[in-house]
Amino acid sequence: MAERVRLIDVAREAGTSVSTVSRALNGSDLISPEVVAHVRAVAGELGYRADKRAQEFKLGRPLTVGVTVPDLANPFFSEVLKGLAAAARAGGYRLLIGESSEDPAEELRLVEELVDHSGALVLCSSRLTRAGLEQALGLPVPVVCINRTVKNAGVVAIDYRAASRLLLEHLTGLGHRRVLYVGGPATSWSDGERRRTLRRTARSLDVTLDEIEGGWAGHHGYDAGPTVMRSRATAVITFNDLVGVGLLSWLHDNDVEVPTELSVASYDDIPIAAYARPPLTSLRNDRARLGELAWQQLSARLSGEDWPKPDLLTPELVLRASTGRARRRARIT
């Protein structure tokens, strides 16, 4: 086996110092773009590969970010992970991912396992109890929470308060005066944000808001169909697009015309929303950007800086055929 190419070999061939090579390969702003390009070209020609174990030993921490997500089947989280992975990879880190299946106890177990192999943690839409979250934040690594506000940690979130106001104002603008919210998991921070804002906005607009329990997956929306039809609502807001598409499927199977008899709107605008029948009105958010911002916060903290201020992203309302003018409900089962 050929002998491993070292930094000193790259420096000798590039005609520069080892420290300059190190800075150039690590993307330091102290090195000119021309020198960076030259050093990287030489490193490529020589077949240089960074020694991750040496880097980890020098830093005193693994070059790995541990990530927890509630549900890998949900496209929302896969897009967040893509943004996080690309940003972390550019910073020389890799991801170690664990799925909690919406179970707070399993998430805490994952956190305890991941911290042994990670230099930082990202809790994506954490379902941890308050006590569990405090335990996670007490670990000896920096922690960023996506879609959950906490103290003494990084925070990146969608502004669900602004989002919920946008949805309800859109529906009331179409004449809907009675709206039903099909909720998400009881452990979801974002579900609580939606509920509180929908209630306040409904009161300010003199709209009746009803709420029922739902869930996070398509079958939860489908199962909610009979309860939705027993309500007197003319419009429905669902916890996410998976629930919304599930509800649309039930309405289609039971010959309920959308939006003629019932309007449906939702959150997240995952790709399937545009291909539902009818296409689903939803709130678009930049999920990959959430992951990128999470890495930026972690990177700052790993560099010894204080936590940056929380990053809040405001969604965009995407209007599609699932919402229309309010009409008197022809049938209530």
Side-chain angles (χ1 to χ4, degrees), residues 33-289:
E34 293 78 14
V35 172
V36 169
H38 173 62
V39 169
R40 290 184 174 178
V42 171
E45 291 171 3
L46 295 178
Y48 172 78
R49 291 176 55 204
D51 187 339
K52 293 292 184 182
R53 287 174 296 182
Q55 291 179 337
E56 291 176 344
F57 180 79
K58 182 178 178 180
L59 290 170
R61 62 174 180 266
L63 292 172
T64 305
V65 178
V67 188
T68 64
V69 295
D71 180 14
L72 283 172
N74 187 335
F76 178 97
F77 298 114
S78 60
E79 293 184 45
V80 172
L81 290 173
K82 285 184 69 174
L84 176 59
R89 184 167 57 250
Y93 280 69
R94 54 196 179 275
L95 303 187
L96 187 59
I97 301 165
E99 181 194 41
S100 66
S101 300
E102 298 284 348
D103 181 354
E106 175 61 19
E107 183 179 347
L108 186 56
R109 285 192 290 272
L110 284 172
V111 166
E112 292 170 342
E113 293 172 5
L114 288 170
V115 75
D116 291 335
H117 308 282
S118 306
L121 293 175
V122 174
L123 309 182
C124 192
S125 295
S126 176
R127 307 308 196 214
L128 289 174
T129 63
R130 181 169 297 182
L133 190 58
E134 289 176 356
Q135 186 174 335
L137 296 179
L139 294 169
V141 297
V143 178
V144 167
C145 290
I146 295 178
N147 278 348
R148 185 159 180 178
T149 55
V150 295
K151 295 180 180 179
N152 303 317
V155 173
V156 179
I158 296 166
D159 188 347
Y160 285 115
R161 295 181 181 180
S164 299
R165 285 192 297 270
L166 277 173
L167 270 184
L168 202 52
E169 288 169 357
H170 164 61
L171 293 172
T172 56
L174 293 172
H176 296 280
R177 312 308 300 171
R178 189 154 198 155
V179 178
L180 176 69
Y181 176 59
V182 180
T187 53
S188 168
W189 171 85
S190 60
D191 180 66
E193 290 288 285
R194 290 164 168 84
R195 289 180 188 268
R196 286 186 288 272
T197 303
L198 288 172
R199 291 166 188 165
R200 284 195 299 269
T201 307
R203 286 194 296 269
S204 69
L205 296 173
D206 194 25
V207 171
T208 299
L209 177 72
D210 299 317
E211 301 173 41
I212 63 172
E213 300 308 312
W216 62 89
H219 67 88
H220 293 123
Y222 196 93
D223 292 344
T227 305
V228 168
M229 286 305 294
R230 286 194 294 271
S231 77
R232 295 184 176 275
T234 59
V236 180
I237 297 173
T238 62
F239 170 70
N240 65 20
D241 289 342
L242 294 176
V243 177
V245 170
L247 175 60
L248 287 177
S249 181
W250 187 92
L251 295 172
H252 176 270
D253 289 349
N254 289 272
D255 298 320
V256 179
E257 294 186 13
V258 177
T260 304
E261 295 184 66
L262 193 70
S263 286
V264 181
S266 192
Y267 296 83
D268 294 342
D269 193 38
I270 61 175
I272 195 175
Y275 301 103
R277 287 295 173 265
L280 180 61
T281 291
S282 189
L283 283 158
R284 176 176 297 162
N285 48 63
D286 192 342
R287 295 173 287 280
R289 183 62 178 157

